[in-house]
Amino acid sequence: MASINFPAVSNILPTTNANTAAVSKTASDSSKSFSTFLKDSLNKVNQAQNESDSLTTKLAKGENVDLSQVMIASQKASITMQATIEIRNKAVEAYQEMMRMTV
């Protein structure tokens, strides 16, 4: 039988932690971008709610506001809030599922 020569592990795997630092930096950057995305999304939901409240208040005061615009803003706010709640529920459900996993 012919003998097989395998290269040393040190030749294949680097002994420095340069790659580990790059990976952790990338993970940190993605964490920051995710938190920024989450903040922006919640700000948009809040903005839709505020716009709906403002238009509803103007309509109630008798100001010149188109009823269809009030209803559209109200529905947008409602849909964005429902979507946010469902995303939160799925995130909590995923977290609970991970906590139930055995290691």
Side-chain angles (χ1 to χ4, degrees):
M1 251 190 136
S3 65
I4 301 174
N5 292 327
F6 292 106
V9 174
S10 61
N11 293 339
I12 297 172
L13 299 174
T15 57
T16 62
N17 290 334
N19 291 338
T20 307
V23 169
S24 67
K25 184 179 181 208
T26 305
S28 175
D29 289 344
S30 66
S31 172
K32 287 180 184 177
S33 65
F34 177 74
S35 65
T36 303
F37 171 76
L38 191 59
K39 281 182 186 179
D40 290 343
S41 297
L42 290 176
N43 285 336
K44 287 179 184 178
V45 171
N46 188 37
Q47 181 181 5
Q49 292 286 332
N50 289 339
E51 181 182 347
S52 173
D53 289 345
S54 173
L55 288 174
T56 303
T57 302
K58 286 180 181 181
L59 182 68
K61 288 181 179 179
E63 294 180 19
N64 189 15
V65 179
D66 189 17
L67 178 62
S68 63
Q69 292 299 321
V70 175
M71 295 305 296
I72 290 170
S74 176
Q75 285 299 311
K76 280 183 183 178
S78 176
I79 290 169
T80 56
M81 181 59 82
Q82 288 174 358
T84 302
I85 290 170
E86 287 302 319
I87 291 169
R88 184 219 44 191
N89 290 345
K90 288 293 182 181
V92 169
E93 185 179 320
Y95 173 77
Q96 290 172 343
E97 185 67 28
M98 285 190 293
M99 293 307 291
R100 284 191 290 261
M101 288 182 182
T102 57
V103 179

Coordinates of all heavy atoms in Angstrom, one line a residue:
M1 N 0.8 -1.2 0.0 CA 0.0 0.0 0.0 C 0.9 1.2 0.0 O 1.9 1.3 0.6 CB -0.8 0.0 1.3 CG -2.3 -0.3 1.0 SD -3.3 0.0 2.4 CE -4.5 0.9 1.6
A2 N 0.4 2.2 -0.7 CA 1.1 3.5 -0.8 C 0.9 4.3 0.5 O -0.2 4.3 1.0 CB 0.7 4.3 -2.0
S3 N 1.9 5.0 1.0 CA 1.7 5.8 2.2 C 1.2 7.2 1.7 O 1.5 7.7 0.7 CB 3.0 6.0 2.9 OG 3.9 6.6 2.1
I4 N 0.4 7.8 2.6 CA -0.2 9.1 2.3 C 0.4 10.1 3.3 O 0.5 9.8 4.5 CB -1.8 9.1 2.5 CG1 -2.4 8.0 1.6 CG2 -2.3 10.4 2.3 CD1 -3.9 7.8 1.8
N5 N 0.9 11.2 2.7 CA 1.5 12.2 3.6 C 0.5 13.3 3.7 O 0.1 13.9 2.8 CB 2.8 12.7 2.9 CG 3.9 11.7 2.9 OD1 4.0 10.9 3.8 ND2 4.7 11.7 1.9
F6 N 0.1 13.6 5.0 CA -0.8 14.7 5.3 C 0.1 15.9 5.7 O 1.0 15.8 6.5 CB -1.8 14.4 6.4 CG -2.8 13.3 5.9 CD1 -2.7 12.0 6.4 CD2 -3.8 13.6 5.1 CE1 -3.6 11.1 6.0 CE2 -4.7 12.7 4.7 CZ -4.6 11.4 5.2
P7 N -0.3 17.1 5.3 CA 0.5 18.3 5.7 C 0.2 18.6 7.2 O -0.9 18.2 7.7 CB -0.1 19.4 4.8 CG -1.4 19.0 4.4 CD -1.3 17.5 4.3
A8 N 1.1 19.2 7.8 CA 0.9 19.5 9.2 C -0.3 20.5 9.4 O -0.6 21.3 8.6 CB 2.2 20.2 9.8
V9 N -0.9 20.3 10.6 CA -2.1 21.2 10.9 C -1.6 22.7 10.9 O -2.4 23.5 10.4 CB -2.7 20.8 12.2 CG1 -3.8 21.7 12.6 CG2 -3.2 19.4 12.1
S10 N -0.5 22.9 11.4 CA 0.0 24.3 11.5 C 0.2 25.0 10.1 O 0.1 26.2 9.9 CB 1.3 24.4 12.2 OG 2.3 23.7 11.5
N11 N 0.4 24.2 9.0 CA 0.5 24.7 7.7 C -0.9 25.0 7.1 O -1.0 25.9 6.3 CB 1.1 23.7 6.8 CG 2.6 23.5 7.1 OD1 3.2 24.3 7.8 ND2 3.2 22.4 6.7
I12 N -1.9 24.4 7.6 CA -3.3 24.6 7.1 C -4.0 25.7 7.9 O -4.6 26.6 7.3 CB -4.1 23.3 7.1 CG1 -3.5 22.2 6.2 CG2 -5.6 23.6 6.7 CD1 -4.1 20.9 6.4
L13 N -3.9 25.6 9.2 CA -4.6 26.6 10.0 C -3.6 27.6 10.5 O -2.6 27.3 11.0 CB -5.2 25.9 11.2 CG -6.3 24.8 10.9 CD1 -6.7 24.1 12.2 CD2 -7.5 25.4 10.2
P14 N -4.0 28.9 10.4 CA -3.1 29.9 10.9 C -3.1 29.9 12.4 O -4.1 29.6 13.1 CB -3.7 31.2 10.4 CG -5.1 30.9 10.1 CD -5.2 29.4 9.8
T15 N -1.9 30.3 13.0 CA -1.8 30.3 14.4 C -2.1 31.7 15.0 O -2.1 31.8 16.2 CB -0.4 29.9 14.8 OG1 0.5 30.8 14.2 CG2 -0.1 28.5 14.4
T16 N -2.3 32.7 14.2 CA -2.6 34.0 14.7 C -4.2 34.2 14.8 O -4.9 33.4 14.2 CB -2.1 35.1 13.8 OG1 -2.7 35.0 12.5 CG2 -0.6 35.0 13.7
N17 N -4.6 35.2 15.6 CA -6.0 35.4 15.8 C -6.5 36.6 14.9 O -7.4 37.2 15.2 CB -6.3 35.8 17.3 CG -6.1 34.6 18.1 OD1 -6.3 33.4 17.7 ND2 -5.8 34.8 19.4
A18 N -5.8 36.9 13.8 CA -6.2 38.0 12.9 C -7.5 37.7 12.3 O -8.4 38.6 12.2 CB -5.2 38.1 11.8
N19 N -7.8 36.5 12.0 CA -9.1 36.1 11.4 C -10.2 36.3 12.4 O -11.3 36.7 12.1 CB -9.1 34.8 10.8 CG -8.3 34.7 9.5 OD1 -8.0 35.7 8.9 ND2 -7.8 33.5 9.2
T20 N -9.9 35.9 13.7 CA -10.9 36.0 14.7 C -11.3 37.4 15.0 O -12.5 37.7 15.2 CB -10.4 35.3 16.0 OG1 -9.9 34.0 15.7 CG2 -11.4 35.3 17.1
A21 N -10.3 38.3 15.0 CA -10.6 39.7 15.2 C -11.5 40.3 14.1 O -12.4 41.0 14.3 CB -9.3 40.5 15.3
A22 N -11.2 39.8 12.8 CA -12.0 40.3 11.7 C -13.4 39.8 11.8 O -14.4 40.5 11.5 CB -11.4 39.8 10.4
V23 N -13.6 38.5 12.2 CA -14.9 38.0 12.4 C -15.7 38.7 13.5 O -16.9 39.0 13.3 CB -14.9 36.5 12.7 CG1 -16.2 35.9 13.1 CG2 -14.3 35.7 11.5
S24 N -15.1 39.0 14.6 CA -15.8 39.6 15.7 C -16.1 41.1 15.3 O -17.1 41.6 15.7 CB -14.9 39.6 17.0 OG -13.8 40.4 16.8
K25 N -15.2 41.7 14.5 CA -15.6 43.1 14.1 C -16.8 43.0 13.2 O -17.6 43.9 13.2 CB -14.3 43.7 13.4 CG -14.6 45.1 13.0 CD -13.4 45.7 12.3 CE -13.7 47.2 11.9 NZ -13.0 47.6 10.8
T26 N -16.8 42.1 12.3 CA -17.9 41.9 11.4 C -19.2 41.6 12.2 O -20.3 42.2 11.9 CB -17.7 40.8 10.4 OG1 -16.4 41.1 9.7 CG2 -18.8 40.7 9.4
A27 N -19.1 40.8 13.2 CA -20.3 40.5 14.0 C -20.7 41.8 14.7 O -21.9 42.0 14.9 CB -20.0 39.4 15.0
S28 N -19.8 42.6 15.2 CA -20.1 43.8 15.9 C -20.8 44.8 14.9 O -21.8 45.4 15.3 CB -18.8 44.4 16.5 OG -19.1 45.7 17.0
D29 N -20.3 44.9 13.7 CA -20.9 45.7 12.7 C -22.3 45.3 12.4 O -23.2 46.1 12.2 CB -20.0 45.8 11.4 CG -18.7 46.5 11.6 OD1 -18.6 47.3 12.7 OD2 -17.8 46.4 10.8
S30 N -22.5 44.0 12.2 CA -23.8 43.5 11.9 C -24.8 43.8 13.1 O -26.0 44.0 12.9 CB -23.8 42.1 11.5 OG -23.4 41.3 12.6
S31 N -24.3 43.7 14.3 CA -25.1 43.9 15.5 C -25.5 45.4 15.5 O -26.6 45.7 15.7 CB -24.3 43.6 16.7 OG -25.0 44.0 17.9
K32 N -24.6 46.3 15.1 CA -24.9 47.7 15.1 C -25.9 48.0 14.0 O -26.8 48.8 14.2 CB -23.6 48.5 14.9 CG -22.7 48.6 16.1 CD -21.5 49.4 15.8 CE -20.6 49.4 17.0 NZ -19.3 50.2 16.8
S33 N -25.7 47.4 12.8 CA -26.6 47.6 11.7 C -28.0 47.1 12.0 O -29.0 47.7 11.7 CB -26.1 47.1 10.4 OG -26.0 45.7 10.5
F34 N -28.1 45.9 12.7 CA -29.4 45.4 13.1 C -30.1 46.3 14.1 O -31.2 46.6 14.0 CB -29.2 44.0 13.7 CG -30.5 43.4 14.2 CD1 -31.4 43.0 13.2 CD2 -30.8 43.3 15.5 CE1 -32.7 42.4 13.7 CE2 -32.0 42.8 15.9 CZ -33.0 42.4 15.0
S35 N -29.3 46.8 15.1 CA -29.9 47.7 16.1 C -30.4 49.0 15.4 O -31.4 49.5 15.8 CB -29.0 47.9 17.2 OG -27.9 48.7 16.8
T36 N -29.6 49.5 14.5 CA -30.0 50.7 13.7 C -31.3 50.4 12.9 O -32.2 51.2 12.9 CB -28.9 51.1 12.8 OG1 -27.7 51.4 13.6 CG2 -29.2 52.4 12.1
F37 N -31.3 49.3 12.3 CA -32.5 48.9 11.5 C -33.7 48.8 12.4 O -34.8 49.2 12.0 CB -32.2 47.5 10.8 CG -33.4 47.0 10.1 CD1 -33.9 47.5 8.9 CD2 -34.1 45.9 10.7 CE1 -35.0 46.9 8.3 CE2 -35.2 45.4 10.1 CZ -35.7 45.9 8.9
L38 N -33.5 48.2 13.6 CA -34.6 48.0 14.5 C -35.1 49.4 15.0 O -36.3 49.6 15.0 CB -34.2 47.1 15.7 CG -35.3 46.7 16.6 CD1 -36.3 45.8 15.9 CD2 -34.6 45.8 17.7
K39 N -34.2 50.3 15.3 CA -34.6 51.6 15.8 C -35.3 52.4 14.7 O -36.4 53.0 14.9 CB -33.4 52.4 16.2 CG -32.9 52.1 17.6 CD -31.7 53.0 17.9 CE -31.0 52.6 19.2 NZ -29.9 53.5 19.5
D40 N -34.8 52.3 13.5 CA -35.5 53.0 12.4 C -36.9 52.4 12.1 O -37.8 53.2 11.8 CB -34.6 52.8 11.1 CG -33.3 53.6 11.1 OD1 -33.2 54.5 12.0 OD2 -32.4 53.4 10.3
S41 N -37.0 51.1 12.2 CA -38.3 50.5 12.0 C -39.3 51.0 13.0 O -40.5 51.3 12.7 CB -38.2 49.0 12.0 OG -37.4 48.6 10.9
L42 N -38.9 51.0 14.3 CA -39.8 51.4 15.3 C -40.1 52.9 15.2 O -41.2 53.3 15.6 CB -39.2 51.1 16.7 CG -39.1 49.6 17.0 CD1 -38.4 49.4 18.4 CD2 -40.5 48.9 17.1
N43 N -39.2 53.7 14.8 CA -39.4 55.1 14.6 C -40.5 55.3 13.5 O -41.3 56.2 13.6 CB -38.1 55.9 14.3 CG -37.3 56.1 15.5 OD1 -37.8 56.1 16.6 ND2 -36.0 56.2 15.3
K44 N -40.4 54.5 12.4 CA -41.4 54.6 11.3 C -42.8 54.2 11.8 O -43.8 54.8 11.5 CB -41.0 53.7 10.2 CG -39.8 54.3 9.4 CD -39.4 53.3 8.3 CE -38.2 53.9 7.6 NZ -37.7 53.0 6.5
V45 N -42.9 53.2 12.7 CA -44.2 52.8 13.3 C -44.7 53.9 14.1 O -45.9 54.3 14.0 CB -44.0 51.5 14.1 CG1 -45.3 51.2 14.9 CG2 -43.7 50.3 13.2
N46 N -43.8 54.5 14.9 CA -44.2 55.6 15.8 C -44.7 56.8 14.9 O -45.7 57.5 15.2 CB -43.1 56.0 16.7 CG -43.5 57.1 17.7 OD1 -44.6 57.0 18.2 ND2 -42.6 58.0 18.0
Q47 N -44.0 57.1 13.8 CA -44.3 58.2 13.0 C -45.7 58.0 12.3 O -46.5 58.9 12.2 CB -43.2 58.4 11.9 CG -43.5 59.5 10.9 CD -42.4 59.6 9.9 OE1 -41.5 58.7 9.8 NE2 -42.5 60.6 9.0
A48 N -46.0 56.7 11.9 CA -47.3 56.4 11.3 C -48.4 56.6 12.3 O -49.4 57.1 12.0 CB -47.3 55.0 10.8
Q49 N -48.1 56.2 13.6 CA -49.1 56.4 14.7 C -49.4 57.9 14.9 O -50.5 58.3 15.1 CB -48.6 55.7 16.0 CG -48.6 54.2 15.9 CD -50.0 53.6 15.9 OE1 -50.9 54.1 16.5 NE2 -50.1 52.4 15.3
N50 N -48.3 58.7 15.0 CA -48.4 60.1 15.2 C -49.2 60.8 14.1 O -50.0 61.7 14.4 CB -47.0 60.7 15.4 CG -46.4 60.3 16.8 OD1 -47.1 59.9 17.7 ND2 -45.1 60.4 16.8
E51 N -48.9 60.4 12.9 CA -49.5 61.0 11.7 C -51.0 60.7 11.8 O -51.9 61.6 11.5 CB -48.9 60.5 10.4 CG -49.6 61.1 9.2 CD -49.0 60.5 7.9 OE1 -47.9 59.9 8.0 OE2 -49.6 60.7 6.9
S52 N -51.4 59.4 12.1 CA -52.8 59.0 12.2 C -53.5 59.8 13.3 O -54.6 60.3 13.1 CB -52.9 57.5 12.5 OG -54.2 57.2 12.7
D53 N -52.8 59.9 14.4 CA -53.4 60.7 15.6 C -53.6 62.2 15.2 O -54.6 62.8 15.5 CB -52.5 60.6 16.8 CG -52.5 59.2 17.4 OD1 -53.4 58.4 17.1 OD2 -51.6 59.0 18.3
S54 N -52.6 62.7 14.5 CA -52.7 64.1 14.1 C -53.9 64.4 13.1 O -54.7 65.3 13.3 CB -51.4 64.6 13.4 OG -51.5 65.9 12.9
L55 N -54.0 63.5 12.1 CA -55.1 63.7 11.2 C -56.5 63.4 11.8 O -57.4 64.1 11.5 CB -54.9 62.7 10.0 CG -53.8 63.1 9.0 CD1 -53.6 62.0 8.0 CD2 -54.1 64.5 8.4
T56 N -56.5 62.5 12.7 CA -57.8 62.2 13.4 C -58.2 63.4 14.3 O -59.4 63.7 14.3 CB -57.7 60.9 14.3 OG1 -57.3 59.8 13.4 CG2 -59.0 60.6 14.9
T57 N -57.2 64.0 15.0 CA -57.5 65.1 15.8 C -58.0 66.3 14.9 O -59.0 67.0 15.3 CB -56.3 65.5 16.6 OG1 -55.8 64.4 17.4 CG2 -56.5 66.7 17.5
K58 N -57.4 66.5 13.8 CA -57.8 67.6 12.9 C -59.2 67.4 12.4 O -60.0 68.3 12.3 CB -56.8 67.7 11.7 CG -55.5 68.3 12.1 CD -54.6 68.4 10.8 CE -53.2 69.0 11.2 NZ -52.4 69.1 10.0
L59 N -59.5 66.1 12.1 CA -60.9 65.8 11.6 C -61.9 66.0 12.7 O -63.0 66.6 12.5 CB -60.9 64.3 11.1 CG -62.3 63.9 10.6 CD1 -62.6 64.6 9.3 CD2 -62.3 62.4 10.4
A60 N -61.5 65.6 13.9 CA -62.4 65.8 15.1 C -62.7 67.3 15.4 O -63.8 67.7 15.8 CB -61.9 65.1 16.3
K61 N -61.7 68.1 15.2 CA -61.8 69.5 15.4 C -62.6 70.3 14.3 O -62.9 71.4 14.4 CB -60.4 70.2 15.6 CG -59.7 69.8 16.8 CD -58.4 70.5 16.9 CE -57.6 70.2 18.2 NZ -56.3 70.9 18.2
G62 N -62.8 69.6 13.2 CA -63.6 70.1 12.1 C -62.7 70.9 11.1 O -63.2 71.6 10.3
E63 N -61.4 70.7 11.2 CA -60.5 71.3 10.2 C -60.7 70.6 8.8 O -61.3 69.6 8.7 CB -59.0 71.2 10.7 CG -58.8 71.9 11.9 CD -57.3 71.8 12.4 OE1 -56.5 71.4 11.6 OE2 -57.1 72.1 13.6
N64 N -60.2 71.3 7.8 CA -60.3 70.8 6.4 C -59.3 69.7 6.2 O -58.2 69.9 5.7 CB -60.1 72.0 5.5 CG -60.4 71.6 4.0 OD1 -61.1 70.6 3.8 ND2 -60.0 72.4 3.1
V65 N -59.8 68.5 6.4 CA -59.0 67.3 6.2 C -59.8 66.3 5.4 O -61.0 66.1 5.7 CB -58.6 66.6 7.6 CG1 -57.7 65.4 7.3 CG2 -57.8 67.6 8.4
D66 N -59.2 65.7 4.4 CA -60.0 64.7 3.6 C -60.2 63.4 4.4 O -59.2 62.8 5.0 CB -59.1 64.4 2.4 CG -59.9 63.5 1.4 OD1 -61.1 63.4 1.5 OD2 -59.3 63.0 0.5
L67 N -61.4 62.9 4.5 CA -61.7 61.7 5.3 C -61.0 60.5 4.8 O -60.5 59.7 5.6 CB -63.2 61.5 5.3 CG -63.7 60.2 6.0 CD1 -63.3 60.3 7.5 CD2 -65.2 60.0 5.8
S68 N -60.8 60.4 3.5 CA -60.1 59.2 3.0 C -58.6 59.2 3.4 O -58.1 58.2 3.7 CB -60.2 59.2 1.4 OG -59.6 60.3 0.9
Q69 N -58.0 60.4 3.5 CA -56.6 60.5 4.0 C -56.5 60.1 5.5 O -55.5 59.4 5.8 CB -56.0 61.9 3.8 CG -55.9 62.3 2.3 CD -54.9 61.4 1.6 OE1 -53.9 61.0 2.2 NE2 -55.2 61.1 0.4
V70 N -57.5 60.5 6.2 CA -57.5 60.1 7.7 C -57.6 58.6 7.8 O -56.9 57.9 8.6 CB -58.7 60.8 8.4 CG1 -58.8 60.3 9.8 CG2 -58.5 62.3 8.4
M71 N -58.5 58.0 7.0 CA -58.7 56.5 7.0 C -57.5 55.8 6.5 O -57.1 54.7 7.1 CB -60.0 56.1 6.2 CG -61.3 56.7 6.8 SD -61.5 56.2 8.5 CE -61.7 54.5 8.4
I72 N -56.9 56.3 5.5 CA -55.7 55.6 5.0 C -54.5 55.7 6.0 O -53.9 54.7 6.3 CB -55.2 56.3 3.6 CG1 -56.2 55.9 2.5 CG2 -53.8 55.8 3.3 CD1 -56.0 56.7 1.2
A73 N -54.4 56.8 6.6 CA -53.3 57.0 7.7 C -53.6 56.1 8.8 O -52.7 55.4 9.4 CB -53.2 58.4 8.1
S74 N -54.9 56.0 9.2 CA -55.3 55.1 10.3 C -55.0 53.6 10.0 O -54.5 52.9 10.8 CB -56.7 55.3 10.6 OG -57.2 54.4 11.6
Q75 N -55.3 53.2 8.8 CA -55.1 51.8 8.4 C -53.6 51.5 8.3 O -53.1 50.4 8.7 CB -55.7 51.5 7.1 CG -57.2 51.3 7.2 CD -57.6 50.2 8.1 OE1 -57.1 49.1 8.0 NE2 -58.5 50.5 9.1
K76 N -52.8 52.5 7.8 CA -51.3 52.3 7.7 C -50.8 52.1 9.1 O -49.9 51.2 9.3 CB -50.7 53.5 7.0 CG -50.7 53.5 5.5 CD -49.9 54.7 5.0 CE -50.0 54.8 3.5 NZ -49.3 56.0 3.0
A77 N -51.2 52.9 10.0 CA -50.7 52.8 11.4 C -51.1 51.5 12.0 O -50.3 50.9 12.7 CB -51.3 54.0 12.2
S78 N -52.3 51.1 11.8 CA -52.8 49.8 12.3 C -52.0 48.6 11.8 O -51.6 47.7 12.5 CB -54.3 49.7 12.0 OG -54.8 48.4 12.4
I79 N -51.8 48.6 10.5 CA -51.1 47.5 9.8 C -49.7 47.5 10.3 O -49.1 46.4 10.6 CB -51.2 47.6 8.3 CG1 -52.7 47.3 7.9 CG2 -50.3 46.7 7.6 CD1 -53.0 47.6 6.4
T80 N -49.0 48.6 10.4 CA -47.6 48.6 10.8 C -47.5 48.2 12.3 O -46.6 47.5 12.6 CB -46.9 50.0 10.6 OG1 -47.7 51.0 11.3 CG2 -46.8 50.4 9.2
M81 N -48.5 48.6 13.1 CA -48.4 48.1 14.5 C -48.7 46.6 14.6 O -48.0 45.9 15.3 CB -49.5 48.9 15.3 CG -49.5 48.5 16.8 SD -47.9 48.7 17.6 CE -48.0 50.5 17.9
Q82 N -49.6 46.1 13.8 CA -49.9 44.7 13.8 C -48.7 43.9 13.3 O -48.3 42.8 13.9 CB -51.1 44.3 13.0 CG -52.4 44.8 13.6 CD -53.6 44.5 12.6 OE1 -53.4 44.1 11.5 NE2 -54.8 44.9 13.1
A83 N -48.0 44.4 12.3 CA -46.8 43.7 11.8 C -45.7 43.7 12.8 O -45.0 42.7 13.0 CB -46.3 44.3 10.5
T84 N -45.5 44.8 13.5 CA -44.5 44.9 14.5 C -44.8 44.0 15.7 O -43.9 43.3 16.2 CB -44.5 46.4 15.1 OG1 -44.2 47.3 14.0 CG2 -43.4 46.5 16.1
I85 N -46.0 43.9 16.1 CA -46.4 42.9 17.2 C -46.1 41.5 16.8 O -45.6 40.7 17.5 CB -47.9 43.2 17.6 CG1 -48.0 44.5 18.3 CG2 -48.4 42.0 18.5 CD1 -49.4 44.9 18.5
E86 N -46.5 41.2 15.5 CA -46.2 39.8 15.0 C -44.7 39.5 15.0 O -44.3 38.4 15.3 CB -46.9 39.6 13.7 CG -48.4 39.5 13.8 CD -48.9 38.3 14.7 OE1 -48.3 37.2 14.7 OE2 -49.9 38.6 15.4
I87 N -43.9 40.4 14.5 CA -42.5 40.2 14.5 C -42.0 40.0 15.9 O -41.1 39.2 16.1 CB -41.8 41.4 13.8 CG1 -42.2 41.4 12.3 CG2 -40.3 41.4 14.0 CD1 -41.7 42.6 11.5
R88 N -42.4 40.8 16.8 CA -42.0 40.7 18.2 C -42.4 39.3 18.7 O -41.6 38.6 19.4 CB -42.6 41.8 19.1 CG -42.1 41.7 20.5 CD -43.1 41.9 21.6 NE -44.4 41.3 21.4 CZ -45.5 41.6 22.1 NH1 -45.4 42.5 23.0 NH2 -46.6 41.0 21.8
N89 N -43.6 38.9 18.4 CA -44.1 37.6 18.9 C -43.2 36.4 18.3 O -42.9 35.5 19.0 CB -45.5 37.3 18.5 CG -46.5 38.2 19.3 OD1 -46.1 38.8 20.3 ND2 -47.7 38.3 18.8
K90 N -42.9 36.5 17.0 CA -42.0 35.5 16.4 C -40.6 35.5 17.0 O -40.0 34.5 17.2 CB -41.9 35.7 14.9 CG -43.2 35.4 14.2 CD -43.4 33.9 14.3 CE -44.7 33.5 13.5 NZ -45.0 32.1 13.6
A91 N -40.1 36.7 17.3 CA -38.7 36.8 18.0 C -38.8 36.2 19.4 O -37.8 35.4 19.7 CB -38.3 38.3 18.0
V92 N -39.8 36.5 20.1 CA -39.9 35.9 21.5 C -40.1 34.4 21.4 O -39.5 33.6 22.1 CB -41.1 36.5 22.2 CG1 -41.4 35.7 23.5 CG2 -40.8 38.0 22.6
E93 N -40.9 33.9 20.4 CA -41.1 32.5 20.2 C -39.8 31.8 19.8 O -39.4 30.7 20.3 CB -42.1 32.3 19.1 CG -42.5 30.8 18.9 CD -43.5 30.7 17.8 OE1 -44.5 31.6 17.7 OE2 -43.4 29.8 17.0
A94 N -39.0 32.4 19.0 CA -37.7 31.9 18.6 C -36.7 31.8 19.8 O -36.0 30.8 20.0 CB -37.1 32.7 17.4
Y95 N -36.7 32.9 20.6 CA -35.9 32.9 21.8 C -36.3 31.8 22.7 O -35.4 31.1 23.3 CB -36.0 34.3 22.5 CG -35.3 34.3 23.8 CD1 -33.9 34.4 23.9 CD2 -36.0 34.2 25.0 CE1 -33.3 34.5 25.1 CE2 -35.4 34.3 26.2 CZ -34.0 34.4 26.3 OH -33.4 34.4 27.4
Q96 N -37.6 31.6 22.9 CA -38.0 30.5 23.8 C -37.7 29.2 23.3 O -37.3 28.3 24.1 CB -39.6 30.7 24.0 CG -40.0 31.9 24.9 CD -41.5 32.1 24.9 OE1 -42.2 31.5 24.1 NE2 -41.9 32.9 25.9
E97 N -37.8 29.0 22.0 CA -37.4 27.7 21.4 C -35.9 27.4 21.6 O -35.5 26.3 21.9 CB -37.7 27.8 19.9 CG -37.5 26.4 19.2 CD -38.4 25.3 19.6 OE1 -39.6 25.6 20.0 OE2 -38.0 24.2 19.5
M98 N -35.1 28.5 21.5 CA -33.6 28.3 21.7 C -33.4 28.0 23.2 O -32.5 27.2 23.5 CB -32.8 29.5 21.3 CG -32.7 29.7 19.8 SD -31.6 31.0 19.3 CE -32.4 32.4 19.9
M99 N -34.1 28.5 24.1 CA -33.9 28.3 25.5 C -34.3 26.9 25.8 O -33.8 26.3 26.8 CB -34.7 29.3 26.3 CG -34.1 30.7 26.2 SD -32.4 30.9 26.5 CE -32.3 30.5 28.3
R100 N -35.2 26.3 25.1 CA -35.6 24.9 25.3 C -34.7 23.9 24.8 O -34.7 22.7 25.1 CB -37.0 24.7 24.7 CG -38.1 25.3 25.5 CD -39.5 24.8 25.0 NE -39.8 25.3 23.7 CZ -40.6 26.3 23.5 NH1 -41.2 26.9 24.5 NH2 -40.9 26.7 22.2
M101 N -33.7 24.3 23.9 CA -32.8 23.4 23.3 C -31.8 22.9 24.4 O -31.4 23.6 25.3 CB -32.0 24.0 22.2 CG -32.7 24.3 21.0 SD -31.6 25.1 19.8 CE -32.8 25.3 18.5
T102 N -31.5 21.6 24.3 CA -30.5 21.0 25.2 C -29.1 21.1 24.6 O -29.0 20.9 23.3 CB -30.9 19.5 25.5 OG1 -30.9 18.8 24.3 CG2 -32.2 19.4 26.3
V103 N -28.2 21.3 25.4 CA -26.8 21.5 24.9 C -26.0 20.2 25.2 O -26.1 19.6 26.1 CB -26.1 22.7 25.5 CG1 -24.7 22.8 25.0 CG2 -26.9 23.9 25.3

